[in-house]
Amino acid sequence: MAFSRAEAFAPATVANMGVGFDILGLALGGMGDRAIVEFQDAPEIVIADIKGDGGQLPREPERNVASVSARAFLDHIGERRGLKIKLVKGLPLSSGLGSSAASAVVTVMALNALVGEPFSREALLPFCLEGEALVSGYHADNVAPCLLGGIVLVAGITVDAIVPLPVPECFHLALVTPDYPVPTSEARAILPSVLTLKQLIHQTGKVAQLVDALHRGDLEALGAAIEGDTVVEPARACLTPHLTEARAAAKRAGAIAVFIGGAGPTLCALCDCESIAERAAAEMKRVYSQYEMRSIASQTLVDQVGAKLLKLD
Ligand code: HSE
């Protein structure tokens, strides 16, 4: 049976988990983007509508993450029909919540369903990466968890390098996103291009500790590893408003560790229960309010499902 229209959902994601720059990411419960895709007779791909972006995302198909991912997919399967894409952005842009990855994943997920699901969700990774690369380069630490859900080790950008990691019981996150967009390109340009051997040893040791802690379900060790980043967070602190105060506020509320979500400025506080996560989110928000900065705060769990099809007709 041929379908003419598909709608999908893709969750927010948080890359890095502190010390795991470009190699670790997780999917968040709750927030996400939706896309509706429909074939059209004209051969081109058009961005027919975008809601929720305040008019900020490019509508030109060659500059939009969703249409670039769709182009890669359609070219690969030799499909000549064009496509209409409608996006409903639930995720704030340039916030460290994987908005560009969600645009790519949600579109490709819907498109795969529309043509009868020729690919497994893992096999959709390369098409999504084509779109993601447009705004932040070839790294899969948002795209992979967005597709697959869970906490993911991204040991490379090919499908066989993606390793799902265990999600410890009681893993809760408090989130706060100040109204202070940080373009990923800017946050990457600020990073050091050379590390000393001592820094390399420290950083790789912390990543290994983090993966071990996830396997043992040890949230205290996980927190220590997450906050062991001595390379990326120090460089990006100047782009992340009130990081020190927000971290202190979350910890006073009982949080175990605080890290910058992806390129920021979202802050994520690791907590071991929902009530602490709620308090930590409220306390971090209070810090931004003191500086008259608007912010959105919430608490959530890791999404274990990843992108999903909502409707096919
Ligand atoms: N790992 C990336 C970064 C995520 O921190 O720059 C943002 O796309």
Side-chain angles (χ1 to χ4, degrees):
M1 174 172 174
F3 298 104
S4 58
R5 193 172 174 276
E7 179 172 350
F9 170 86
T13 51
V14 165
N16 303 342
M17 292 180 77
V19 78
F21 179 70
D22 275 3
I23 60 169
L24 288 168
L26 57 82
L28 296 172
M31 298 172 269
D33 286 358
R34 282 189 296 126
I36 298 133
V37 299
E38 276 179 84
F39 278 122
Q40 60 171 11
D41 293 332
E44 61 270 14
I45 297 178
V46 293
I47 301 291
D49 189 27
I50 307 180
K51 293 199 169 25
D53 71 326
Q56 289 184 63
L57 289 176
R59 268 58 178 171
E60 303 89 332
E62 61 288 352
R63 291 183 53 226
N64 185 289
V65 166
S67 35
V68 168
S69 302
R71 179 84 275 156
F73 183 99
L74 293 179
D75 286 351
H76 185 87
I77 62 168
E79 172 62 61
R80 300 175 77 100
R81 279 175 294 177
L83 197 70
K84 269 201 276 195
I85 303 174
K86 294 182 186 164
L87 286 176
V88 182
K89 295 296 296 175
L91 300 178
L93 312 182
S94 302
S95 65
L97 291 170
S99 169
S100 56
S103 289
V105 168
V106 78
T107 304
V108 171
M109 190 77 188
L111 198 42
N112 192 40
L114 194 60
V115 296
E117 237 175 77
F119 299 103
S120 67
R121 61 173 63 219
E122 289 81 4
L124 298 177
L125 185 82
F127 311 120
C128 303
L129 269 179
E130 286 305 314
E132 173 77 323
L134 199 65
V135 282
S136 59
Y138 281 94
H139 53 89
D141 51 344
N142 288 107
V143 161
C146 189
L147 266 174
L148 305 177
I151 303 178
V152 181
L153 169 65
V154 180
I157 57 167
T158 51
V159 178
D160 57 356
I162 308 300
V163 183
L165 294 172
V167 181
E169 253 181 75
C170 306
F171 186 112
H172 289 259
L173 285 172
L175 305 169
V176 64
T177 306
D179 186 13
Y180 182 85
V182 176
T184 301
S185 51
E186 207 177 303
R188 291 179 83 81
I190 211 165
L191 297 176
S193 51
V194 177
L195 298 187
T196 64
L197 185 60
K198 197 170 158 196
Q199 284 174 311
L200 175 71
I201 292 166
H202 175 87
Q203 205 79 357
T204 50
K206 291 293 171 190
V207 173
Q209 186 186 19
L210 189 157
V211 174
D212 171 63
L214 284 176
H215 277 280
R216 291 186 298 102
D218 182 341
L219 290 191
E220 289 299 328
L222 180 63
I226 281 175
E227 287 197 342
D229 170 24
T230 55
V231 176
V232 177
E233 185 183 297
R236 285 180 169 173
C238 60
L239 293 176
T240 316
H242 312 301
L243 169 62
T244 308
E245 282 163 274
R247 170 174 278 142
K251 289 200 173 169
R252 279 195 303 275
I256 297 165
V258 174
F259 56 100
I260 301 173
T266 289
L267 296 183
C268 309
L270 171 65
C271 303
D272 63 7
C273 72
E274 185 176 333
S275 58
I276 291 181
E278 252 164 30
R279 264 206 312 277
E283 289 304 317
M284 289 194 289
K285 185 172 173 60
R286 193 198 303 269
V287 169
Y288 293 106
S289 304
Q290 278 165 4
Y291 289 96
E292 295 181 3
M293 194 176 257
R294 279 181 305 169
S295 65
I296 300 168
S298 62
Q299 66 84 26
T300 189
L301 297 168
V302 172
D303 164 83
Q304 309 248 19
V305 176
K308 56 189 180 205
L309 183 68
L310 297 177
K311 219 167 151 196
L312 189 58
D313 27 56

